Amino acid sequence: MGGESSSIGALVPTVKSELGCNDNAAAGQREQEQEQEQQQPEAMAVEEEVAMTDRDMLCPICMQLIKDAFLTSCGHSFCYMCIVTHLQNKSDCPCCSHFLTPNHLYPNFLLNKLLMKASACQMAKTATPAEQLHKALQQGYEVSVKELDSLLSLLAEKKRTLKQQEAETNMQIMLDFLHCLRNQKLGELNELQTDLQYIKEDINSVERRRIELYRSRDRYLTNVRMLGDDPHAKLSWPSLIEKRGGGVLPCFPGPQSQCHMGSSTSHNWKADEKTPSGSQIIQIKDANSDLDSQQLTQSGLVVARKKRVHAQFNDLQDCYMQRRRSSTRQSQKKDERDRREGYSTGLEDFQTVLSTFTRYSRLRVVAELRHGDLFHSANIVSSIEFDRDDELFATAGVSRRIKVFEFSSVVNEPADVPCPIAEMSTRSKLSCLSWNKYTKNHIASSDYEGIVTVWDVTTHQSVMEYEEHEKRAWSVDFSRTEPSMLVSGSDDCKVKIWCTNQEASVLNIDMKANICSVKYNPGSGIHIVVGSADHHIHYYDLRNTSQPVHIFGGHRKAVSYVKFLSNSELASASTDSTLRLWDVKENIPLRTFKGHTNEKNFVGLAVNSEYIACGSETNEVFVYHKAISKPAAWHKFGSDVQDADEDAGSYFISAVCWKSDSPTMLTANSQGTIKVLLLAE
């Protein structure tokens, strides 16, 4: 035994006592199973017999249970309506083709009785008890009054029970709904209380900050008063005033403060202090009046900015809460302690948004440039771009010419028509321009024949020409981090990467739809974004172009432009009359901008760190703050002077461009008019 036990491994133990106790039960179960197996063939035979009987009761014409059975002279039974309808067309039996007329039909009373019984049996199997009772009463089943009373009492009790159950069910549903509603409202209340706590903290923070500013101003005024009361300081004032041409020093309110004019000696100073001259009094009055007018102007500006806040209050509220909640979550994760006490990062961010958004309310025309035939369609400016230093800007369009202007000449000499400092002619209409941000005199263009050209503005000659695109090239862009690299997109559904040191493309991306716009990420030489006619934005890593890093969807029509505000913020324009802002790091949509009209044309898109500008098919320029979905300012071309052309409504804005991180922008329309616009209060 010992040897056997050592030759096998450990076994899972079994409960043998239970098996012994259940031997009798298992034997009885086996006997029942055997009986069921014996009964199954018998039951199946009965079912088959019933099925055969049911098939015999089917009408050979309609294959349904016979209704109003009639027997033919040849011995077949049919539904009365089926056989009569058949005999209207033919004179034979459907079963045996024996000659048959309506006179050879006879009622089959026996089969009708059997059919009624079969119908009753079938109803008994399938009908509900209520249907069976209803059928029995209809068939004249005899019931005594006592049985009816008992039946009615049962029905009444059943009705009362059903009503109670239904009421309980309704109450349960109502209770569940109210619980869900309470939980939802409690969540909203908690969120509202949290928001109110944020607002309360921020109000206290802003009040403390404002008090600090007031105290700083008071300290400054106190120092000035002390300087005015110091006799040694007074002696030095006259020479200072003389150097300023006898001007008046500002005077500040005080218990015994006075405004004094300067003189060459302390004796004259004392005399003047006692008896100021008439001219001095006039100068003092003029200074005070200027100060009052400045205060009135400042007060008016504050009122105007407050009106802008109330006009866009809902969007500003959403922006504040979004930034405040986000900063709170980040501070909880990072446990920020280095920031000012009570002054959150979210509040600082929103203060920046509020100040920049309310600062401007309109676009003011600084200069206007008209060139070419004003009423010729070939004057459409498709692209307008500043160079690296914002000293030059270039225009291109369907006129087949690239014109380079000096920005200062256009702004400072508005009376004369500025002449371009450089001009390059092309074989085809131009669609897009892109300045090289490192090599100042290099600019790239794309045209309607699919040719991508790099030009030297100094020599007015082309440096490189790339002719691999098979159809019209809509967009071209130089990389900011790799100055020798550029990207282009075309109607041939191809995105091509070029290098100015090579004659052929270095990379090709095949897509399924036309390419409307391409752009390098300003902080990366390996990431590009593609706006496509498939209504989507494709974000690619050039190290793996087999599939995009992410596809942004939301536009309902073709994406006509894509531009980066920063390394992570991307703006897009579409012919669905919307602009959209995306986060390419988190791969999420941020905001949708509406207000302009764009359904078929390329109307331009320009961005800086805070604002997004675009054109409209109403011949207007719209400017949006990136945190607010409605326009912050707009300007209509032709609004300053009467346009004599009756077809002025057909013009549209065709190109826009910001001067780097400034409130100045260039914009052009399909009439060939170029305007320098400035955001103003």
Side-chain angles (χ1 to χ4, degrees):
M1 293 291 292
E4 292 179 2
S5 62
S6 62
S7 64
I8 61 175
L11 301 176
V12 178
T14 58
V15 185
K16 296 182 179 180
S17 59
E18 292 183 1
L19 292 175
C21 296
N22 293 333
D23 285 343
N24 296 332
Q29 185 176 0
R30 285 195 294 273
E31 290 178 359
Q32 292 179 359
E33 291 176 355
Q34 291 176 358
E35 291 178 359
Q36 291 178 358
E37 290 176 358
Q38 293 175 358
Q39 292 175 358
Q40 282 180 356
E42 297 177 0
M44 292 176 63
V46 172
E47 290 178 358
E48 290 179 0
E49 184 177 354
V50 171
M52 291 293 294
T53 303
D54 291 342
R55 283 198 293 270
D56 291 339
M57 294 181 179
L58 297 180
C59 172
I61 297 176
C62 66
M63 299 305 295
Q64 300 293 329
L65 202 63
I66 297 176
K67 297 180 180 179
D68 296 332
F70 267 69
L71 184 66
T72 64
S73 58
C74 55
H76 299 102
S77 295
F78 302 92
C79 298
Y80 175 74
M81 292 303 300
C82 291
I83 189 61
V84 168
T85 304
H86 174 77
L87 292 178
Q88 289 177 356
N89 301 318
K90 294 184 178 180
S91 298
D92 59 356
C93 175
C95 293
C96 63
S97 300
H98 187 273
F99 178 74
L100 193 65
T101 64
N103 296 328
H104 299 149
L105 300 179
Y106 310 98
N108 194 339
F109 298 107
L110 178 60
L111 183 57
N112 277 331
K113 288 183 179 180
L114 293 175
L115 289 171
M116 290 179 64
K117 290 181 179 180
S119 178
C121 292
Q122 187 175 4
M123 180 177 291
K125 293 178 181 178
T126 60
T128 63
E131 291 175 344
Q132 293 178 8
L133 176 61
H134 190 267
K135 187 69 175 179
L137 293 176
Q138 279 186 336
Q139 292 178 353
Y141 182 76
E142 294 183 359
V143 185
S144 65
V145 176
K146 186 176 181 181
E147 289 176 337
L148 283 175
D149 290 340
S150 176
L151 185 60
L152 289 173
S153 62
L154 288 173
L155 291 174
E157 181 65 22
K158 184 65 175 177
K159 182 179 179 181
R160 186 190 64 79
T161 304
L162 290 175
K163 283 187 174 182
Q164 183 175 353
Q165 290 177 352
E166 184 179 2
E168 291 176 357
T169 302
N170 292 336
M171 290 299 103
Q172 185 63 42
I173 294 173
M174 176 65 75
L175 187 61
D176 291 342
F177 167 76
L178 292 175
H179 279 304
C180 292
L181 182 61
R182 183 188 63 179
N183 294 335
Q184 179 182 341
K185 293 302 179 183
L186 284 175
E188 293 176 0
L189 178 61
N190 292 334
E191 184 177 353
L192 184 60
Q193 289 176 341
T194 304
D195 292 345
L196 287 173
Q197 183 63 30
Y198 293 155
I199 296 171
K200 183 179 179 181
E201 292 174 0
D202 290 345
I203 288 175
N204 294 334
S205 300
V206 173
E207 286 290 348
R208 285 196 297 269
R209 185 77 180 277
R210 197 170 71 160
I211 290 172
E212 290 176 3
L213 293 174
Y214 286 160
R215 288 175 177 173
S216 177
R217 186 188 66 178
D218 291 342
R219 284 194 295 270
Y220 170 75
L221 294 176
T222 301
N223 292 335
V224 172
R225 292 192 193 100
M226 292 175 63
L227 185 63
D229 295 338
D230 187 356
H232 298 287
K234 289 181 180 180
L235 294 176
S236 62
W237 284 12
S239 60
L240 179 62
I241 297 174
E242 284 180 354
K243 291 180 181 179
R244 296 193 179 186
V248 180
L249 289 176
C251 51
F252 302 96
Q256 296 176 348
S257 62
Q258 294 179 351
C259 295
H260 309 291
M261 293 294 296
S263 64
S264 59
T265 62
S266 61
H267 177 73
N268 292 336
W269 168 263
K270 291 180 181 179
D272 290 341
E273 184 179 8
K274 294 178 181 178
T275 57
S277 64
S279 61
Q280 292 173 340
I281 296 174
I282 293 174
Q283 290 180 358
I284 293 172
K285 288 182 179 179
D286 291 341
N288 290 333
S289 63
D290 291 341
L291 184 61
D292 291 340
S293 63
Q294 290 177 2
Q295 290 178 348
L296 290 174
T297 304
Q298 187 67 23
S299 176
L301 292 176
V302 171
V303 171
R305 296 181 71 174
K306 287 182 178 180
K307 287 182 178 180
R308 291 170 212 156
V309 170
H310 289 290
Q312 305 291 346
F313 188 82
N314 291 334
D315 283 345
L316 288 170
Q317 172 184 267
D318 294 340
C319 177
Y320 166 76
M321 297 312 308
Q322 178 184 1
R323 293 173 184 265
R324 192 62 171 86
R325 293 166 186 164
S326 177
S327 68
T328 302
R329 288 193 296 268
Q330 293 177 0
S331 64
Q332 289 174 351
K333 292 179 181 179
K334 298 180 181 179
D335 192 19
E336 285 184 329
R337 295 177 182 176
D338 55 344
R339 61 180 174 83
R340 283 192 301 247
E341 181 181 357
Y343 213 77
S344 68
T345 306
L347 182 59
E348 290 180 348
D349 292 344
F350 179 72
Q351 182 178 355
T352 303
V353 171
L354 190 65
S355 61
T356 55
F357 174 73
T358 58
R359 186 180 303 161
Y360 307 116
S361 63
R362 63 188 179 91
L363 287 166
R364 180 169 60 86
V365 179
V366 176
E368 184 172 340
L369 171 63
R370 295 175 182 266
H371 59 90
D373 186 357
L374 298 179
F375 307 108
H376 197 273
S377 61
N379 289 313
I380 296 176
V381 178
S382 302
S383 182
I384 186 166
E385 294 290 330
F386 273 106
D387 74 339
R388 181 191 65 188
D389 302 323
D390 293 330
E391 296 174 350
L392 308 176
F393 69 89
T395 65
V398 298
S399 62
R400 296 181 174 87
R401 290 191 300 272
I402 299 173
K403 295 182 179 181
V404 180
F405 297 89
E406 188 176 10
F407 180 72
S408 60
S409 299
V410 173
V411 173
N412 298 327
E413 301 173 9
D416 301 324
V417 178
C419 295
I421 63 172
E423 188 170 341
M424 289 84 75
S425 298
T426 61
R427 300 194 303 267
S428 180
K429 299 176 182 178
L430 295 163
S431 57
C432 185
L433 295 174
S434 177
W435 285 91
N436 192 306
K437 298 303 179 183
Y438 285 84
T439 308
K440 181 179 175 65
N441 59 321
H442 280 187
I443 187 171
S445 67
S446 59
D447 65 27
Y448 280 35
E449 291 183 0
I451 301 174
V452 176
T453 308
V454 179
W455 302 87
D456 189 324
V457 176
T458 306
T459 62
H460 305 177
Q461 299 295 322
S462 64
V463 178
M464 295 291 292
E465 281 192 4
Y466 306 103
E467 301 184 8
E468 293 184 18
H469 282 301
E470 300 172 0
K471 294 183 179 180
R472 174 171 44 192
W474 280 117
S475 182
V476 63
D477 183 52
F478 266 113
S479 171
R480 289 177 177 266
T481 58
E482 299 289 340
S484 63
M485 305 300 294
L486 62 158
V487 60
S488 62
S490 167
D491 273 342
D492 60 7
C493 307
K494 289 181 174 61
V495 176
K496 291 184 179 289
I497 307 297
W498 314 90
C499 179
T500 55
N501 301 324
Q502 300 182 26
E503 295 182 356
S505 61
V506 298
L507 191 62
N508 183 71
I509 303 175
D510 289 321
M511 301 185 66
K512 297 180 180 179
N514 300 35
I515 311 302
C516 301
S517 181
V518 291
K519 204 73 178 176
Y520 266 102
N521 188 313
S524 171
I526 59 174
H527 290 99
I528 64 168
V529 65
V530 180
S532 174
D534 65 358
H535 309 176
H536 292 87
I537 302 162
H538 305 257
Y539 191 51
Y540 278 96
D541 186 332
L542 297 181
R543 295 170 297 183
N544 180 16
T545 59
S546 58
Q547 60 182 7
V549 175
H550 190 75
I551 298 177
F552 297 93
H555 284 297
R556 294 180 289 106
K557 291 186 179 180
V559 179
S560 52
Y561 295 95
V562 284
K563 295 287 181 73
F564 280 94
L565 284 78
S566 64
N567 296 345
S568 60
E569 293 175 309
L570 172 70
S572 62
S574 169
T575 50
D576 61 4
S577 296
T578 65
L579 307 180
R580 290 179 181 265
L581 187 65
W582 315 87
D583 189 326
V584 297
K585 286 188 177 180
E586 300 296 332
N587 297 332
I588 57 173
L590 298 177
R591 192 158 290 101
T592 301
F593 306 91
K594 296 181 179 180
H596 61 286
T597 302
N598 181 20
E599 297 179 352
K600 58 181 180 180
N601 295 301
F602 285 87
V603 295
L605 178 69
V607 299
N608 60 23
S609 59
E610 294 292 334
Y611 289 96
I612 304 172
C614 71
S616 174
E617 289 167 358
T618 57
N619 210 22
E620 293 174 287
V621 182
F622 285 83
V623 176
Y624 299 88
H625 190 281
K626 69 177 184 179
I628 307 300
S629 60
K630 296 179 181 178
W634 57 89
H635 171 77
K636 186 174 180 64
F637 270 48
S639 59
D640 296 334
V641 293
Q642 286 291 340
D643 198 338
D645 189 1
E646 296 180 357
D647 198 29
S650 63
Y651 297 134
F652 59 91
I653 303 300
S654 55
V656 290
C657 179
W658 284 107
K659 194 168 182 284
S660 299
D661 286 331
S662 78
T664 304
M665 65 184 300
L666 289 169
T667 181
N669 74 343
S670 57
Q671 192 181 5
T673 302
I674 299 173
K675 287 187 179 183
V676 181
L677 301 177
L678 177 68
L679 281 171
E681 295 182 351

